[in-house]
Amino acid sequence: MKSALFLAAIAAYLCRTLFPRLPLDGVVSAICALIVVVVVFSIKPSVRILGGSFLAIGCALLAAHGASWDSYLLSFGSMLDILSLFALMPFVAIPIQLGRYADRVRTIIRSRVRHSGALYAITSAMSYSFSSFMSVAALPMVYHTIRSSVDLYPIAYKDRFLSRAVTHGFAMPLVWTPVTPMVGLVVEMTGARWSALLPIVIPLSVLGLVLDGVTGLWLSNRRRRQIGREVLQKMAAARESGAEGDTEKTRGKHPVQVLIVIFAFNLVISTLERYTDLSFLVLVTLAVIPFAFAWAALIGKAREFAARGREALPDQLMKMKDQFFVFLSAGFMIAALQATGADRVVSLRLNEFKDLVGPELFLCLIPLLPFVLAFVGIHPAVALAVAAGSLRPDTLGIPVEPIAVAMLLGAAGSFLVGPYNATIAIMSSLVDRSTYRVSNWNLPFASVFLLLSMIALYLIQ
C-alpha cells in the first residue's frame, strides 16, 4: 500500500506539472497528507521527531495567522519534485551494472596500477564518475570493485584508505551533476540557471578531486619509502598473477563509455533547459528513465533493463518512507513560512546581518549552514530547502548565481562529515565502523575543501 501511495503522489505531481490546467492541486496535497499519516508509525524514531518538528512549526505558524482548514491541507506537496527524482534516479545505475564496467576497472587496476597512490587516485576518480550518475548507489559499487585489490598494496589502514577515496570522490560531483537532488533543489528555489552555474561549479569540483588525488599520491610516496623493496616486489608479483586470472574471465564494457554517457546526459539536460519551460528537476526526472533505457539498448541490454527496472521500483519506493515523511513535512513547514510571510522576516534579519559583516563575508559564510546542520541530523536537502526560502537575492542584494554556488559547496561538504546522512551511513556499514569514525576520517579534507570554497566565493564576487 505504501509504495502504491508513493507512486500515486509522484504520478499526480508529474501530471499536474505537465498539464497545469488539470485541477490536481488538491489531489496532490491530499495524497501527500495521507502519506504522512500512513508512514508515521513505521519510520525511525529520530526521523519521526525531526519530521514532527517541521509539522509542528508549520501548524503553529498557520494557526497564529488564523489560516483556514484547507490551507493546512494545501500546504503539503511542495517537495515532491525532489522525491520524484530520488525515486527514479536508481534507474540510471542499471546500465552500469548490466555493462559490468566495475569488473573491467578491476582488471585494469590489477594489470597497470603499480602503487597505492595511483590506486587511491583511480578509486576517487571512479567514485566521482559513478556518483555523477548513480548517487549513493556508487558507494557500494566502487567499494566492492576496489576492495579485493587493496590487499595487494602496502596499505596500513585499508578501511580508512577506501573510505576516504570513495567518499571524497563521491561528494565532488554533487555540486553539478543533474541527477543529484541537491542541484535541482538549489536551481529551483534560487531561480538560478543550471547552465550558468556549470562554469563555476565544475572547475571547483575538479579542483577538489585533484586535491584529493594529489594528497593520496603524496601519502603513498611517503609510505613506500618506509617499506622494504622485497615486500613491494612480492606484492607486485601477486597483482600480476591476479590480473592474468581476471583477464580470462572479465568481459565488462570499457569505463570510458561511462564518461561519454555522462557528457551526453548533461548535454541533453542543458539543451532541454534552454529550449523548454519545464523546471530543472522535472526535466531530469522525466529524462532519467528514457536515457537509461537508451544506454542499455546501445549495449544490448534493453530487455534486462526492463526486467530489473520493474523489480527495482517497488523496492526503491519502500526504502524511501523515511525520506517521504521528512521531505513532505519540511515542505509543509516551508509552505507555511511562505504563506504567513515568516520567510520575509527571516530574510530581513539575514539582510541586517549581511549589512553588518559585509556582502563578501556573508556570501562566504553561507556554505557553513548545511555543513553545521549536518552534525545535528538535518539532511542537506532539508537544510538547503529551508535556507533557500530565506536567502532571497532580491532582498540581500547579492546575485543569484553566487548564492546558489555557495549553497551547493556547503552541501557537498556536509555529505562528507554529517554522521547521520546516507553517504556516511552506507560507508559506515561497508567498512564496519561507526558513522562518527567515518565522519572524522573525512573531516580534514572536508575542512580544506570548505576553506577553498569560501576563498573561491570571495574571488568570484
Side-chain angles (χ1 to χ4, degrees), residues 74-97:
L74 294 176
S75 295
F76 282 100
S78 63
M79 294 190 75
L80 265 178
D81 47 4
I82 302 173
L83 290 167
S84 299
L85 182 57
F86 266 129
L88 300 182
M89 184 174 55
F91 277 87
V92 84
I94 297 176
I96 293 180
Q97 297 166 349

Side-chain angles (χ1 to χ4, degrees), residues 317-329:
L317 290 172
M318 284 305 300
K319 291 177 183 177
M320 290 180 59
K321 59 181 185 292
D322 289 358
Q323 292 173 321
F324 266 90
F325 184 78
V326 168
F327 280 86
L328 291 178
S329 301

